[in-house]
mmCIF file of all heavy atoms in Angstrom:
data_model
loop_
_atom_site.group_PDB
_atom_site.id
_atom_site.type_symbol
_atom_site.label_atom_id
_atom_site.label_comp_id
_atom_site.label_asym_id
_atom_site.label_seq_id
_atom_site.Cartn_x
_atom_site.Cartn_y
_atom_site.Cartn_z
ATOM 1 N N ILE F 1 1.952 1.272 19.677
ATOM 2 C CA ILE F 1 0.571 1.671 19.431
ATOM 3 C C ILE F 1 -0.311 0.488 19.769
ATOM 4 O O ILE F 1 -0.738 -0.307 18.939
ATOM 5 C CB ILE F 1 0.391 2.104 17.978
ATOM 6 C CG1 ILE F 1 1.416 3.199 17.657
ATOM 7 C CG2 ILE F 1 -1.008 2.600 17.724
ATOM 8 C CD1 ILE F 1 1.440 3.549 16.178
ATOM 9 N N ALA F 2 -0.558 0.276 21.068
ATOM 10 C CA ALA F 2 -1.359 -0.846 21.544
ATOM 11 C C ALA F 2 -1.879 -0.576 22.954
ATOM 12 O O ALA F 2 -1.293 0.272 23.666
ATOM 13 C CB ALA F 2 -0.528 -2.115 21.515
ATOM 14 N N ARG F 3 -2.915 -1.245 23.344
ATOM 15 C CA ARG F 3 -3.379 -1.245 24.722
ATOM 16 C C ARG F 3 -2.647 -2.346 25.461
ATOM 17 O O ARG F 3 -2.217 -3.334 24.874
ATOM 18 C CB ARG F 3 -4.891 -1.512 24.748
ATOM 19 C CG ARG F 3 -5.718 -0.443 24.076
ATOM 20 C CD ARG F 3 -5.760 0.834 24.898
ATOM 21 N NE ARG F 3 -6.668 1.817 24.336
ATOM 22 C CZ ARG F 3 -6.814 3.039 24.838
ATOM 23 N NH1 ARG F 3 -6.119 3.400 25.888
ATOM 24 N NH2 ARG F 3 -7.652 3.901 24.288
ATOM 25 N N PRO F 4 -2.523 -2.213 26.773
ATOM 26 C CA PRO F 4 -1.895 -3.290 27.577
ATOM 27 C C PRO F 4 -2.528 -4.634 27.360
ATOM 28 O O PRO F 4 -3.760 -4.738 27.397
ATOM 29 C CB PRO F 4 -2.091 -2.785 29.014
ATOM 30 C CG PRO F 4 -2.214 -1.305 28.927
ATOM 31 C CD PRO F 4 -2.952 -1.064 27.625
ATOM 32 N N GLY F 5 -1.733 -5.607 27.028
ATOM 33 C CA GLY F 5 -2.207 -6.955 26.860
ATOM 34 C C GLY F 5 -2.870 -7.208 25.504
ATOM 35 O O GLY F 5 -3.402 -8.302 25.273
ATOM 36 N N GLU F 6 -2.926 -6.188 24.627
ATOM 37 C CA GLU F 6 -3.552 -6.343 23.334
ATOM 38 C C GLU F 6 -2.480 -6.218 22.232
ATOM 39 O O GLU F 6 -1.389 -5.714 22.470
ATOM 40 C CB GLU F 6 -4.631 -5.294 23.121
ATOM 41 C CG GLU F 6 -5.781 -5.420 24.103
ATOM 42 C CD GLU F 6 -6.874 -4.360 23.858
ATOM 43 O OE1 GLU F 6 -6.782 -3.702 22.808
ATOM 44 O OE2 GLU F 6 -7.797 -4.244 24.717
ATOM 45 N N ARG F 7 -2.871 -6.688 21.063
ATOM 46 C CA ARG F 7 -1.917 -6.612 19.941
ATOM 47 C C ARG F 7 -1.791 -5.232 19.394
ATOM 48 O O ARG F 7 -2.758 -4.428 19.485
ATOM 49 C CB ARG F 7 -2.316 -7.590 18.852
ATOM 50 C CG ARG F 7 -3.702 -7.301 18.266
ATOM 51 C CD ARG F 7 -4.057 -8.336 17.242
ATOM 52 N NE ARG F 7 -5.375 -8.071 16.635
ATOM 53 C CZ ARG F 7 -5.884 -8.753 15.615
ATOM 54 N NH1 ARG F 7 -5.210 -9.740 15.109
ATOM 55 N NH2 ARG F 7 -7.074 -8.452 15.147
ATOM 56 N N PRO F 8 -0.668 -4.880 18.804
ATOM 57 C CA PRO F 8 -0.500 -3.526 18.221
ATOM 58 C C PRO F 8 -1.535 -3.295 17.101
ATOM 59 O O PRO F 8 -1.949 -4.212 16.405
ATOM 60 C CB PRO F 8 0.931 -3.567 17.649
ATOM 61 C CG PRO F 8 1.624 -4.601 18.444
ATOM 62 C CD PRO F 8 0.593 -5.650 18.754
ATOM 63 N N VAL F 9 -1.932 -2.028 16.939
ATOM 64 C CA VAL F 9 -2.904 -1.640 15.962
ATOM 65 C C VAL F 9 -2.229 -0.853 14.863
ATOM 66 O O VAL F 9 -1.593 0.204 15.113
ATOM 67 C CB VAL F 9 -3.990 -0.780 16.598
ATOM 68 C CG1 VAL F 9 -5.009 -0.314 15.563
ATOM 69 C CG2 VAL F 9 -4.705 -1.567 17.729
ATOM 70 N N PRO F 10 -2.323 -1.237 13.601
ATOM 71 C CA PRO F 10 -1.715 -0.468 12.506
ATOM 72 C C PRO F 10 -2.358 0.929 12.433
ATOM 73 O O PRO F 10 -3.569 1.068 12.333
ATOM 74 C CB PRO F 10 -2.054 -1.283 11.247
ATOM 75 C CG PRO F 10 -2.379 -2.663 11.714
ATOM 76 C CD PRO F 10 -2.976 -2.477 13.072
ATOM 77 N N PRO F 11 -1.531 2.003 12.485
ATOM 78 C CA PRO F 11 -2.068 3.348 12.429
ATOM 79 C C PRO F 11 -2.341 3.760 10.966
ATOM 80 O O PRO F 11 -1.744 4.696 10.442
ATOM 81 C CB PRO F 11 -0.980 4.189 13.032
ATOM 82 C CG PRO F 11 0.291 3.446 12.695
ATOM 83 C CD PRO F 11 -0.097 1.987 12.736
ATOM 84 N N LEU F 12 -3.311 3.025 10.332
ATOM 85 C CA LEU F 12 -3.499 3.134 8.882
ATOM 86 C C LEU F 12 -2.147 2.936 8.244
ATOM 87 O O LEU F 12 -1.366 2.079 8.657
ATOM 88 C CB LEU F 12 -4.143 4.456 8.522
ATOM 89 C CG LEU F 12 -5.500 4.785 9.233
ATOM 90 C CD1 LEU F 12 -6.028 6.100 8.729
ATOM 91 C CD2 LEU F 12 -6.487 3.682 9.013
ATOM 92 N N ASN F 13 -1.820 3.728 7.201
ATOM 93 C CA ASN F 13 -0.414 3.684 6.658
ATOM 94 C C ASN F 13 0.148 5.075 6.727
ATOM 95 O O ASN F 13 0.886 5.519 5.834
ATOM 96 C CB ASN F 13 -0.432 3.138 5.212
ATOM 97 C CG ASN F 13 -1.250 3.990 4.279
ATOM 98 O OD1 ASN F 13 -2.232 4.642 4.708
ATOM 99 N ND2 ASN F 13 -0.932 3.954 2.966
ATOM 100 N N LEU F 14 -0.155 5.771 7.823
ATOM 101 C CA LEU F 14 0.259 7.180 7.989
ATOM 102 C C LEU F 14 1.715 7.302 8.389
ATOM 103 O O LEU F 14 2.380 8.253 7.969
ATOM 104 C CB LEU F 14 -0.626 7.831 9.045
ATOM 105 C CG LEU F 14 -2.142 7.830 8.753
ATOM 106 C CD1 LEU F 14 -2.887 8.544 9.866
ATOM 107 C CD2 LEU F 14 -2.427 8.502 7.387
ATOM 108 N N VAL F 15 2.233 6.380 9.219
ATOM 109 C CA VAL F 15 3.568 6.549 9.801
ATOM 110 C C VAL F 15 4.670 6.168 8.802
ATOM 111 O O VAL F 15 5.677 6.894 8.660
ATOM 112 C CB VAL F 15 3.690 5.705 11.089
ATOM 113 C CG1 VAL F 15 5.091 5.814 11.640
ATOM 114 C CG2 VAL F 15 2.688 6.182 12.109
ATOM 115 N N GLY F 16 4.509 5.070 8.105
ATOM 116 C CA GLY F 16 5.536 4.638 7.193
ATOM 117 C C GLY F 16 5.401 5.254 5.795
ATOM 118 O O GLY F 16 6.265 5.948 5.305
ATOM 119 N N ASP F 17 4.251 5.018 5.135
ATOM 120 C CA ASP F 17 4.051 5.495 3.795
ATOM 121 C C ASP F 17 4.099 7.026 3.697
ATOM 122 O O ASP F 17 4.834 7.550 2.874
ATOM 123 C CB ASP F 17 2.671 5.036 3.278
ATOM 124 C CG ASP F 17 2.699 3.604 2.727
ATOM 125 O OD1 ASP F 17 3.764 2.994 2.731
ATOM 126 O OD2 ASP F 17 1.663 3.105 2.330
ATOM 127 N N PHE F 18 3.302 7.674 4.513
ATOM 128 C CA PHE F 18 3.114 9.126 4.311
ATOM 129 C C PHE F 18 4.002 10.006 5.166
ATOM 130 O O PHE F 18 4.583 10.955 4.678
ATOM 131 C CB PHE F 18 1.634 9.473 4.447
ATOM 132 C CG PHE F 18 0.775 8.753 3.434
ATOM 133 C CD1 PHE F 18 -0.250 7.918 3.815
ATOM 134 C CD2 PHE F 18 1.024 8.910 2.093
ATOM 135 C CE1 PHE F 18 -1.028 7.273 2.876
ATOM 136 C CE2 PHE F 18 0.252 8.236 1.111
ATOM 137 C CZ PHE F 18 -0.783 7.402 1.541
ATOM 138 N N GLY F 19 4.083 9.719 6.464
ATOM 139 C CA GLY F 19 4.944 10.542 7.306
ATOM 140 C C GLY F 19 6.412 10.239 7.104
ATOM 141 O O GLY F 19 7.202 11.120 6.799
ATOM 142 N N GLY F 20 6.780 9.013 7.303
ATOM 143 C CA GLY F 20 8.188 8.589 7.186
ATOM 144 C C GLY F 20 8.642 8.391 5.756
ATOM 145 O O GLY F 20 9.834 8.307 5.515
ATOM 146 N N GLY F 21 7.677 8.353 4.799
ATOM 147 C CA GLY F 21 8.040 8.132 3.410
ATOM 148 C C GLY F 21 7.845 9.355 2.551
ATOM 149 O O GLY F 21 8.756 10.131 2.296
ATOM 150 N N GLY F 22 6.581 9.588 2.118
ATOM 151 C CA GLY F 22 6.303 10.621 1.165
ATOM 152 C C GLY F 22 6.669 12.006 1.644
ATOM 153 O O GLY F 22 7.290 12.828 0.909
ATOM 154 N N LEU F 23 6.268 12.344 2.857
ATOM 155 C CA LEU F 23 6.577 13.655 3.382
ATOM 156 C C LEU F 23 8.070 13.895 3.579
ATOM 157 O O LEU F 23 8.603 14.951 3.272
ATOM 158 C CB LEU F 23 5.840 13.886 4.732
ATOM 159 C CG LEU F 23 5.820 15.259 5.329
ATOM 160 C CD1 LEU F 23 5.149 16.264 4.390
ATOM 161 C CD2 LEU F 23 5.091 15.281 6.668
ATOM 162 N N LEU F 24 8.754 12.887 4.120
ATOM 163 C CA LEU F 24 10.195 13.005 4.291
ATOM 164 C C LEU F 24 10.919 13.120 2.952
ATOM 165 O O LEU F 24 11.894 13.866 2.835
ATOM 166 C CB LEU F 24 10.708 11.791 5.081
ATOM 167 C CG LEU F 24 12.063 11.978 5.702
ATOM 168 C CD1 LEU F 24 12.053 13.057 6.758
ATOM 169 C CD2 LEU F 24 12.588 10.664 6.274
ATOM 170 N N GLN F 25 10.443 12.380 1.962
ATOM 171 C CA GLN F 25 11.088 12.495 0.632
ATOM 172 C C GLN F 25 10.911 13.907 0.046
ATOM 173 O O GLN F 25 11.842 14.446 -0.535
ATOM 174 C CB GLN F 25 10.547 11.458 -0.368
ATOM 175 C CG GLN F 25 11.089 11.713 -1.770
ATOM 176 C CD GLN F 25 11.187 10.480 -2.595
ATOM 177 O OE1 GLN F 25 12.212 9.809 -2.643
ATOM 178 N NE2 GLN F 25 10.081 10.133 -3.267
ATOM 179 N N ALA F 26 9.706 14.456 0.210
ATOM 180 C CA ALA F 26 9.474 15.835 -0.246
ATOM 181 C C ALA F 26 10.459 16.793 0.393
ATOM 182 O O ALA F 26 11.023 17.684 -0.250
ATOM 183 C CB ALA F 26 8.055 16.233 -0.012
ATOM 184 N N PHE F 27 10.673 16.617 1.675
ATOM 185 C CA PHE F 27 11.645 17.463 2.421
ATOM 186 C C PHE F 27 13.064 17.278 1.858
ATOM 187 O O PHE F 27 13.748 18.262 1.591
ATOM 188 C CB PHE F 27 11.612 17.139 3.869
ATOM 189 C CG PHE F 27 12.637 17.754 4.737
ATOM 190 C CD1 PHE F 27 12.687 19.130 4.962
ATOM 191 C CD2 PHE F 27 13.664 17.005 5.277
ATOM 192 C CE1 PHE F 27 13.660 19.710 5.711
ATOM 193 C CE2 PHE F 27 14.691 17.562 6.033
ATOM 194 C CZ PHE F 27 14.664 18.941 6.254
ATOM 195 N N GLY F 28 13.433 16.028 1.649
ATOM 196 C CA GLY F 28 14.774 15.744 1.119
ATOM 197 C C GLY F 28 14.969 16.287 -0.265
ATOM 198 O O GLY F 28 16.045 16.848 -0.603
ATOM 199 N N VAL F 29 13.939 16.197 -1.097
ATOM 200 C CA VAL F 29 14.055 16.683 -2.497
ATOM 201 C C VAL F 29 14.197 18.191 -2.470
ATOM 202 O O VAL F 29 15.057 18.747 -3.222
ATOM 203 C CB VAL F 29 12.778 16.267 -3.265
ATOM 204 C CG1 VAL F 29 12.643 17.112 -4.540
ATOM 205 C CG2 VAL F 29 12.868 14.807 -3.626
ATOM 206 N N VAL F 30 13.430 18.901 -1.669
ATOM 207 C CA VAL F 30 13.531 20.358 -1.648
ATOM 208 C C VAL F 30 14.895 20.765 -1.062
ATOM 209 O O VAL F 30 15.510 21.727 -1.540
ATOM 210 C CB VAL F 30 12.359 20.986 -0.813
ATOM 211 C CG1 VAL F 30 12.586 22.447 -0.622
ATOM 212 C CG2 VAL F 30 11.072 20.733 -1.559
ATOM 213 N N CYS F 31 15.406 20.043 -0.046
ATOM 214 C CA CYS F 31 16.761 20.346 0.446
ATOM 215 C C CYS F 31 17.800 20.166 -0.678
ATOM 216 O O CYS F 31 18.713 21.027 -0.841
ATOM 217 C CB CYS F 31 17.080 19.374 1.607
ATOM 218 S SG CYS F 31 16.205 19.703 3.135
ATOM 219 N N ALA F 32 17.712 19.079 -1.439
ATOM 220 C CA ALA F 32 18.639 18.862 -2.487
ATOM 221 C C ALA F 32 18.493 19.895 -3.625
ATOM 222 O O ALA F 32 19.489 20.302 -4.231
ATOM 223 C CB ALA F 32 18.468 17.439 -3.056
ATOM 224 N N LEU F 33 17.278 20.339 -3.887
ATOM 225 C CA LEU F 33 17.081 21.394 -4.873
ATOM 226 C C LEU F 33 17.754 22.682 -4.455
ATOM 227 O O LEU F 33 18.401 23.377 -5.239
ATOM 228 C CB LEU F 33 15.604 21.650 -5.104
ATOM 229 C CG LEU F 33 14.832 20.733 -5.991
ATOM 230 C CD1 LEU F 33 13.348 20.989 -5.911
ATOM 231 C CD2 LEU F 33 15.321 20.835 -7.434
ATOM 232 N N LEU F 34 17.621 23.074 -3.170
ATOM 233 C CA LEU F 34 18.259 24.280 -2.671
ATOM 234 C C LEU F 34 19.790 24.172 -2.814
ATOM 235 O O LEU F 34 20.452 25.134 -3.188
ATOM 236 C CB LEU F 34 17.856 24.505 -1.219
ATOM 237 C CG LEU F 34 16.419 24.978 -0.974
ATOM 238 C CD1 LEU F 34 16.099 25.002 0.496
ATOM 239 C CD2 LEU F 34 16.236 26.370 -1.593
ATOM 240 N N GLU F 35 20.320 22.995 -2.460
ATOM 241 C CA GLU F 35 21.778 22.812 -2.516
ATOM 242 C C GLU F 35 22.260 22.873 -3.981
ATOM 243 O O GLU F 35 23.283 23.441 -4.300
ATOM 244 C CB GLU F 35 22.158 21.501 -1.891
ATOM 245 C CG GLU F 35 23.623 21.363 -1.510
ATOM 246 C CD GLU F 35 24.542 21.036 -2.689
ATOM 247 O OE1 GLU F 35 24.007 20.416 -3.682
ATOM 248 O OE2 GLU F 35 25.710 21.354 -2.708
ATOM 249 N N ALA F 36 21.500 22.292 -4.897
ATOM 250 C CA ALA F 36 21.836 22.270 -6.309
ATOM 251 C C ALA F 36 21.902 23.693 -6.894
ATOM 252 O O ALA F 36 22.690 23.953 -7.821
ATOM 253 C CB ALA F 36 20.855 21.390 -7.114
ATOM 254 N N ARG F 37 21.049 24.559 -6.407
ATOM 255 C CA ARG F 37 21.105 25.937 -6.872
ATOM 256 C C ARG F 37 22.441 26.616 -6.539
ATOM 257 O O ARG F 37 22.888 27.460 -7.262
ATOM 258 C CB ARG F 37 19.937 26.725 -6.285
ATOM 259 C CG ARG F 37 18.580 26.352 -6.817
ATOM 260 C CD ARG F 37 17.463 27.205 -6.261
ATOM 261 N NE ARG F 37 16.203 26.857 -6.842
ATOM 262 C CZ ARG F 37 15.057 27.499 -6.533
ATOM 263 N NH1 ARG F 37 15.068 28.467 -5.608
ATOM 264 N NH2 ARG F 37 13.893 27.124 -7.102
ATOM 265 N N ALA F 38 23.010 26.208 -5.399
ATOM 266 C CA ALA F 38 24.308 26.808 -5.012
ATOM 267 C C ALA F 38 25.484 26.111 -5.659
ATOM 268 O O ALA F 38 26.423 26.794 -6.086
ATOM 269 C CB ALA F 38 24.392 26.757 -3.475
#
């Protein structure tokens, strides 16, 4: 996430905290809940 010759730009905290973290955990939790029912 950068322009040529420029330093990378933090994409807010959307990629790690919320996309790769909170959203992925919600998916994992619901998957585990479905498995636990069985």
Side-chain angles (χ1 to χ4, degrees):
I1 307 171
R3 296 288 186 184
E6 298 182 9
R7 59 182 181 174
V9 178
L12 304 182
N13 59 334
L14 303 179
V15 176
D17 278 358
F18 297 122
L23 189 60
L24 197 66
Q25 172 152 268
F27 172 69
V29 162
V30 172
C31 288
L33 280 171
L34 288 172
E35 197 281 334
R37 289 183 177 180

